Amino acid sequence: MERVSEMRDGNKAILVLEDGTSYTGRALGARGRVFGEVVFNTSMTGYQEILTDPSYRGEIVVMTYPLIGNYGINPEDVESAHPHARGFVVKQMCDEPSNWRAKDRLEQLLTDHGIIGIEGVDTRAITRRLREHGTMRGVIAVGDDLDEKALLQQAREAPDLSNQDLIEQVSAKEPYLFAEGNGGPKITVVDFGAKMNIMRSLAERGCRVTVVPARSSVTEVMQTEPDGVLLSNGPGDPKTATQSIEMVQSLVREAPVFGICLGHQILARALGAETFRMKYGHRGANHPVKDVRTGRVYITAQNHGFAVQEESWSDPDVVVSHRNVNDQTIEGLMHKALPVSSVQYHPEASPGPRDSGYLFDDFLDRLTTRA
């Protein structure tokens, strides 16, 4: 690519995967080096929402779409106060964005928040590598005299995602009121790394929205006097959320519960199911999901590297409500006796299609019916 061939001193960057493969390109954003789990996202748009999604904590994100940054950055399309992705990998970064909402360039966002990136690499080759061999740890480093053997060693010694308490890094530290509400139900969101659009989606439906930290006890959750509780998305391995799993085991007997993404996995484990690490996960805005009760298929936004293990629970009242059309993994659960349900994907979208926004309405309708 032309811009890579014209690299200036200090602008060389390299991505090294733990299997020994490496990719050389041009540095983007901050300088230095960073390690993390390397994953790919197939979305054509939504790079700002992806970078600011707390679920990407600890991960280096490879964008499969070749041109990134063409509509710039704006203050509205954020999912948290700052980016959480550890690194960013693109084929080509747009230097001159064109959109009436744009306030800044993507590379400036990376620089301002210390995110190390690389462009000019074959993101298709990286993606195929991850699909064939599974998600790997990797290192991005910037500089002219880079020791690939040393970088490979760092990649192999990087902490595994399952050995990090990522939820604690992104969860709210104190409870707070997100929206006063407009006559709708009182919803408490347990923040495992919640995307802003989850709370926005509830507020738009007139809900009073209270957010509580991930480490809240069931007593602290119920002190907010919720009509319903939403378990949010978040980063990392659900197995590490032992305190939250125990809390949800009690919570399902106290209030209606709806889980999203990591919240779905934590709820599943609370109901007796097991979870497993997927080979390369689901990350993108084009994943087909079938509602097994109706036969209807929805195109969904997803971001997860773990899933619920098939038939790993013994409770006959726990049933599968949704499945991924591509690989048949579980995308939704519901309880036949308790007002409890969950989905693995993101009904709030951002980025992604809004096909599944009705799930918020269904959750709120159940609260009204129950009352």
Side-chain angles (χ1 to χ4, degrees), residues 176-197:
Y176 65 91
L177 182 66
F178 180 87
E180 289 281 359
N182 186 26
K186 294 184 290 185
I187 305 299
T188 296
V189 176
V190 182
D191 179 14
F192 300 120
K195 290 171 62 181
M196 195 78 70
N197 210 43

Side-chain angles (χ1 to χ4, degrees), residues 50-350:
I50 290 166
L51 283 166
T52 57
D53 181 350
S55 296
Y56 282 107
R57 190 78 169 189
E59 296 180 334
I60 295 172
V61 182
V62 180
M63 299 299 295
T64 62
Y65 189 71
L67 179 61
I68 300 296
N70 53 311
Y71 55 85
I73 294 293
N74 66 71
E76 290 83 26
D77 294 337
V78 294
E79 292 303 316
S80 63
H82 55 82
H84 290 276
R86 300 206 70 184
F88 202 50
V89 183
V90 302
K91 173 67 173 177
Q92 181 179 352
M93 178 75 74
C94 178
D95 282 335
E96 298 181 4
S98 178
N99 187 280
W100 66 274
R101 299 171 72 225
K103 302 298 182 184
D104 210 340
R105 296 179 303 115
L106 175 54
E107 185 167 12
Q108 191 62 51
L109 177 74
L110 300 177
T111 301
D112 290 346
H113 292 277
I115 307 298
I116 298 172
I118 180 173
E119 78 160 323
V121 294
D122 189 343
T123 52
R124 181 174 57 180
I126 298 170
T127 300
R128 291 188 65 176
R129 192 81 184 174
L130 297 175
R131 281 181 60 91
E132 291 170 6
H133 300 281
T135 297
M136 302 181 214
R137 292 166 295 178
V139 173
I140 300 176
V142 178
D144 291 322
D145 299 315
L146 297 172
D147 185 338
E148 287 194 33
K149 290 185 178 179
L151 293 174
L152 174 58
Q153 189 65 25
Q154 289 181 22
R156 290 174 174 173
E157 293 176 353
D160 186 90
L161 203 69
S162 295
N163 297 328
Q164 303 177 61
D165 188 358
L166 299 172
I167 296 174
E168 185 65 19
Q169 296 178 24
V170 298
S171 178
K173 304 307 178 187
E174 299 290 338
Y176 65 91
L177 182 66
F178 180 87
E180 289 281 359
N182 186 26
K186 294 184 290 185
I187 305 299
T188 296
V189 176
V190 182
D191 179 14
F192 300 120
K195 290 171 62 181
M196 195 78 70
N197 210 43
I198 289 178
M199 283 79 80
R200 293 192 200 106
S201 297
L202 293 169
E204 288 169 359
R205 290 165 170 81
C207 297
R208 178 181 174 88
V209 183
T210 303
V211 181
V212 299
R215 291 193 178 275
S216 300
S217 66
V218 66
T219 299
E220 290 169 330
V221 173
M222 295 309 297
Q223 282 176 345
T224 64
E225 299 181 348
D227 295 313
V229 178
L230 189 147
L231 309 176
S232 85
N233 65 291
D237 188 337
K239 289 181 181 179
T240 66
T242 53
Q243 186 273 338
S244 296
I245 293 168
E246 292 175 2
M247 183 275 287
V248 174
Q249 287 175 335
S250 299
L251 181 65
V252 295
R253 307 289 174 179
E254 301 288 339
V257 176
F258 179 44
I260 293 175
C261 199
L262 180 64
H264 156 80
Q265 297 163 11
I266 288 174
L267 176 62
R269 293 189 69 87
L271 294 174
E274 296 292 331
T275 52
F276 68 96
R277 181 191 285 267
M278 304 175 76
K279 185 176 181 180
Y280 50 81
H282 295 158
R283 296 174 181 87
N286 56 352
H287 289 264
V289 169
K290 183 177 182 178
D291 186 328
V292 299
R293 300 162 299 177
T294 65
R296 182 170 178 177
V297 174
Y298 300 88
I299 303 302
T300 69
Q302 302 205 9
N303 171 22
H304 63 101
F306 296 85
V308 176
Q309 187 174 318
E310 189 74 33
E311 297 179 350
S312 57
W313 59 90
S314 58
D315 187 344
D317 284 332
V318 179
V319 297
V320 176
S321 59
H322 297 77
R323 284 195 181 277
N324 189 289
V325 175
N326 291 334
D327 61 14
Q328 296 300 303
T329 51
I330 294 172
E331 294 280 5
L333 293 172
M334 63 179 297
H335 198 285
K336 293 193 290 186
L338 298 172
V340 169
S341 64
S342 61
V343 289
Q344 179 62 80
Y345 51 99
H346 289 268
E348 81 285 351
S350 292

